[in-house]
């Protein structure tokens, strides 16, 4: 997992130090050189413009008259950093630019760092101004400005509100001076955080493209407002969108929000992740750490990324996260990226368990294009991990496809998969996909609902898998559906069809394996099992309280004579 610590080599330029030239006589003539901006970033191989303004600040009646010639010196010399002047539209500028001293004009200074520039060395830029010809003003004067920076490979800008407002465009709100650009990682820590969730403390007031965005405060809250009609794009590097400190801070709760009616958030780097996760590595007991990102007040969220991860222990154990999606969402995973590509509540590292559930709440309109989905994988708390619709949106919809277009299927979708996990306390992996508040349109190749741990993945795996799928409207089209799967350890699964259509094209297995438990509850809607339903070694139950159960193949059966469905309740309903 990329952490905030990976950003601690910024290219930093300290504030300008200005010295005024002074003349020896009582009628001293003075001028000063101002440098704006007083801080900037320089990235290896990228030219950065620094505007130099030369201004006559002599007192009235003692005005300097003459010419100021500007120069620039870089120290240390020969280590990959250079600086030189270029032309400006406001004045005539050469390599020795001259400015009439009785006024002011802007000069442009290019500061560049090549690939051989050394990180973590302080470079000093000295800007000089010399009075080379002045009537009645002797001797000549010199003014200089010095500032320094530390070159870093991927510069980080940290929110540190000191500007006149809370706009991202105000450079004074960032350290070093901003605003962040396409190669900058923007980071929010404790600086500027507020005491209540949902209170806007920073505003994206213009269209902006940056490298990445991380919320990693250890206290209080951050809420970013993207102004109506504006778009924030994250794509300059592979860090992506992160909520969480990336470190083990005990029972840390890190909460952030991005909101804005008419605002848009894009994550466009196909190697990046969207990661909402806080960790606490406890060897006994359960972690109480959690990260939360609330996008529910945002109009549009689109992520074309490697993975979407909510409460996943990539490097530190005991992960938990909550992600509330925006009103309209499109999530596209990179084909061939690490599975599961959509991953909610995944603690598969040894030891360390989550004590708080991980949750993915869907928006009003949701499109997912991924080849693998997991909800509740490895160790979970006893209420598990879940994917469901957010109740604040009326008539929501969710569309699930593979990465190869509208006809492609999600290759594997697991709900409550104990994987290869082992614990000594609570012995279950709990996952829930509850779509009862909206409409689903999904194409899936293989779906597991409640799958026990597999010792071939990790020796000593001992966790039961508990999974629940609930459908109320729309169509869930699955080639192979296994509900309750025992591997080394037993699994128990439940499918509730309260409306809509569950279509199983090839194989519908209830209670697959010794000790397993599989239940189908049909209260409304239609379940069509083209090749029937197979009970396979465990306890299989079908409760038909309403709706229609179809087995369309003429040779299809519901159970077999050898292995029947253990319980079939059908109070005069359609089959």
């Amino acid at each position: 997992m990329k952490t905030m610590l990976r950003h601690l080599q910024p290219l930093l330029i300290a504030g300008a130090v200005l010295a005024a030239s002074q003349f020896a006589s009582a009628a001293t003539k003075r001028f000063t050189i101002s440098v704006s901006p007083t801080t900037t970033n320089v990235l290896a191989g990228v030219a950065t413009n620094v505007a130099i303004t030369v201004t006559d600040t002599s007192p009235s009646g003692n005005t300097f008259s003459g010419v100021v010639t500007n120069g620039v010196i870089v120290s240390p010399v020969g280590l990959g950093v250079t600086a030189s002047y270029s032309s400006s539209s406001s004045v005539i500028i050469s390599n020795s630019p001259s400015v009439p001293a009785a006024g002011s004009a802007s000069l442009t200074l290019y500061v560049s760092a090549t690939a051989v520039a050394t990180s973590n060395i302080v470079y000093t830029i000295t800007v000089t101004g010399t009075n080379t010809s002045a009537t009645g003003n002797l001797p000549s004067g010199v003014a200089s400005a010095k500032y320094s920076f530390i070159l870093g490979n991927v510069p980080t800008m940290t929110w540190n509100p000191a500007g006149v407002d809370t706009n991202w465009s105000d450079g004074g709100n960032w350290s070093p001076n901003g605003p962040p650009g396409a190669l900058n990682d923007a980071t929010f820590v404790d600086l500027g955080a507020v005491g209540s969730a949902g209170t806007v403390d920073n505003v994206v007031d213009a269209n902006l493209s940056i490298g990445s965005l991380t919320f990693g405060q250890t206290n209080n809250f951050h809420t970013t407002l993207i102004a109506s009609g504006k778009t924030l794009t994250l794509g300059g590097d592979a860090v992506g969108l992160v909520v969480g400190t990336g470190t083990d801070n005990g029972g840390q709760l890190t909460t952030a929000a991005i909101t804005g009616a008419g605002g848009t958030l894009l994550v466009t780097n196909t190697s990046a992740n969207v990661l909402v996760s806080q960790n606490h590595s406890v060897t006994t007991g359960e972690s109480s750490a959690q990260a939360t990102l609330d996008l529910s007040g945002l109009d549009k969220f689109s992520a074309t990324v490697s993975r979407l991860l909510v409460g996943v222990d990539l490097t530190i154990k005991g992960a938990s996260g909550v992600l509330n999606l925006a009103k309209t969402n499109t999530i596209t995973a990179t084909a061939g990226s690490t599975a599961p590509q959509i991953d909610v509540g995944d603690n598969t590292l040894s030891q360390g368990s989550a004590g708080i559930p991980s949750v993915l709440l869907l928006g009003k309109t949701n499109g997912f294009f991924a080849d693998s989905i997991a909800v509740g994988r490895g160790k979970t708390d006893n209420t598990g991990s879940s994917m469901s619709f957010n109740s604040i949106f009326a008539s929501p919809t969710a569309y699930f496809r593979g990465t190869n277009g509208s006809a492609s299927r999600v290759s594997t979708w697991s709900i409550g998969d104990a994987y290869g996990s082992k614990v000594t306390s609570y012995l279950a992996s709990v996952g829930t996909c509850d779509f009862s508040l909206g409409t689903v349109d999904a194409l899936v190749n293989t779906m597991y609902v409640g799958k026990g741990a597999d010792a071939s993945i990790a020796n000593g795996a001992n966790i039961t898998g508990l999974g629940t799928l609930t459908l109320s409207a729309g169509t869930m089209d699955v080639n192979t559906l296994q509900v309750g799967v025992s591997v080394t350890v037993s699994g128990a699964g439940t499918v509730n069809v309260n409306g809509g259509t569950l279509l199983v094209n090839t194989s519908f297995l209830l209670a697959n394996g010794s000790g397993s438990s599989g239940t189908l509850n049909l209260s409304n809607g239609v379940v069509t099992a083209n090749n029937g339903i197979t009970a396979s070694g465990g306890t299989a139950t079908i409760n038909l309280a309403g709706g229609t159960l179809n087995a369309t193949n003429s040779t299809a059966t519901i159970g077999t004579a050898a292995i029947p469905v253990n319980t079939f309740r059908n109070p005069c309903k359609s089959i």
Side-chain angles (χ1 to χ4, degrees):
M1 181 177 100
K2 304 280 186 182
T3 72
M4 287 197 320
L5 296 179
R6 98 164 248 346
H7 299 307
L8 292 183
Q9 290 187 337
L11 180 154
L12 173 63
I13 300 183
V17 178
L18 304 178
S21 65
Q22 296 193 14
F23 300 95
S25 67
T28 299
K29 309 298 184 179
R30 297 183 177 89
F31 64 86
T32 60
I33 297 175
S34 61
V35 178
S36 178
T38 58
T39 60
T40 190
N41 286 321
V42 179
L43 185 64
V46 179
T48 300
N49 298 336
V50 180
I52 306 298
T53 302
V54 179
T55 307
D56 172 22
T57 57
S58 299
S60 177
N62 198 21
T63 303
F64 171 79
S65 61
V67 176
V68 172
T69 300
N70 294 97
V72 61
I73 300 170
V74 178
S75 178
V77 177
L79 295 184
V81 174
T82 59
S84 60
Y85 291 99
S86 185
S87 61
S88 168
S89 61
S90 61
V91 293
I92 299 174
I93 300 173
S94 66
N95 288 333
S96 297
S98 298
V99 180
S104 65
S106 296
L107 311 178
T108 300
L109 176 67
Y110 286 107
V111 181
S112 302
T114 67
V116 299
T118 304
S119 298
N120 297 323
I121 287 182
V122 176
Y123 296 84
T124 300
I125 306 290
T126 301
V127 177
T128 62
T130 305
N131 169 17
T132 57
S133 62
T135 302
N137 291 328
L138 295 174
S140 298
V142 175
S144 65
K146 295 184 179 181
Y147 56 99
S148 62
F149 63 88
I150 302 173
L151 180 70
N153 292 328
V154 181
T156 297
M157 284 191 174
T158 300
W159 180 256
N160 183 16
V164 297
D165 50 38
T166 57
N167 290 339
W168 279 38
S169 63
D170 187 334
N173 288 325
W174 299 93
S175 178
N177 190 265
L183 297 173
N184 295 119
D185 300 318
T187 299
F188 287 77
V189 290
D190 288 355
L191 296 168
V194 296
S196 57
T199 299
V200 173
D201 62 281
N202 63 98
V203 179
V204 179
D205 57 310
N207 293 328
L208 189 62
S209 294
I210 64 173
S212 68
L213 176 59
T214 297
F215 294 96
Q217 75 272 15
T218 58
N219 292 285
N220 295 320
F221 307 90
H222 283 296
T223 297
T224 298
L225 170 66
I226 301 178
S228 181
K230 305 305 179 185
T231 298
L232 175 61
T233 302
L234 318 178
D237 58 45
V239 178
L241 174 60
V242 178
V243 180
T245 64
T247 57
D248 182 354
N249 298 324
Q252 175 67 48
L253 301 176
T254 302
T255 301
I258 302 175
T259 189
T264 299
L265 174 64
L266 306 178
V267 188
T268 60
N269 192 308
T270 58
S271 297
N273 293 331
V274 174
L275 174 63
V276 182
S277 186
Q278 185 61 48
N279 308 71
H280 178 32
S281 178
V282 289
T283 56
T284 59
E286 297 177 336
S287 167
S288 57
Q290 188 177 66
T292 299
L293 176 61
D294 185 3
L295 303 179
S296 62
L298 183 68
D299 254 18
K300 183 179 180 181
F301 174 55
S302 177
T304 303
V305 292
S306 178
R307 305 174 74 190
L308 174 71
L309 308 172
V310 183
V312 178
D313 60 352
L314 291 180
T315 58
I316 305 175
K317 309 162 190 175
S320 179
V322 174
L323 173 58
N324 302 334
L325 288 178
K327 181 179 180 181
T328 300
N329 307 276
T330 303
I331 313 297
T332 303
T334 303
S337 63
T338 301
Q341 294 169 331
I342 309 297
D343 200 1
V344 183
D346 185 339
N347 280 271
T348 53
L349 293 177
S350 62
Q351 302 180 337
S353 302
I356 304 177
S358 291
V359 177
L360 176 61
L361 284 182
L362 307 184
K364 182 174 179 61
T365 304
N366 309 271
F368 290 88
F369 299 86
D371 295 323
S372 51
I373 299 174
V375 179
R377 187 171 183 255
K379 294 157 289 184
T380 70
D381 80 314
N382 55 10
T383 58
S385 303
S386 64
M387 176 190 296
S388 60
F389 289 111
N390 194 330
S391 62
I392 69 172
F393 296 112
S395 303
T397 61
Y399 181 87
F400 295 93
R401 292 293 188 272
T403 59
N404 196 31
S406 60
S408 64
R409 292 178 178 269
V410 178
S411 179
T412 304
W413 188 334
S414 64
I415 306 169
D417 178 4
Y419 195 63
S421 294
K422 174 184 177 180
V423 295
T424 58
S425 54
Y426 182 71
L427 301 180
S429 175
V430 182
T432 301
C433 287
D434 184 353
F435 301 117
S436 58
L437 295 181
T439 301
V440 173
D441 181 343
L443 294 180
V444 184
N445 186 40
T446 301
M447 176 176 280
Y448 300 99
V449 183
K451 184 178 181 181
D454 185 350
S456 69
I457 298 174
N459 187 39
N462 64 351
I463 297 179
T464 299
L466 304 176
T468 303
L469 169 66
T470 301
L471 177 68
S472 290
T475 300
M476 181 76 72
D477 183 327
V478 184
N479 284 339
T480 298
L481 176 60
Q482 297 193 34
V483 183
V485 182
S486 291
V487 190
T488 304
V489 186
S490 63
T494 301
V495 173
N496 303 308
V497 180
N498 303 324
T501 298
L502 172 63
L503 173 62
V504 183
N505 300 302
T506 305
S507 177
F508 192 159
L509 279 74
L510 275 181
N512 182 15
S514 176
S516 63
S517 172
T519 301
L520 171 63
N521 298 315
L522 176 58
S523 62
N524 202 351
V526 177
V527 174
T528 297
N530 286 338
N531 290 314
I533 299 177
T534 301
S536 186
T539 301
T541 301
I542 297 176
N543 295 313
L544 185 59
T548 300
L549 175 60
N550 292 325
T552 57
N553 192 311
S554 60
T555 61
T557 62
I558 307 298
T560 64
I563 308 179
V565 172
N566 301 84
T567 303
F568 190 98
R569 300 184 178 93
N570 178 29
C572 301
K573 304 301 178 184
S574 174
I575 184 171

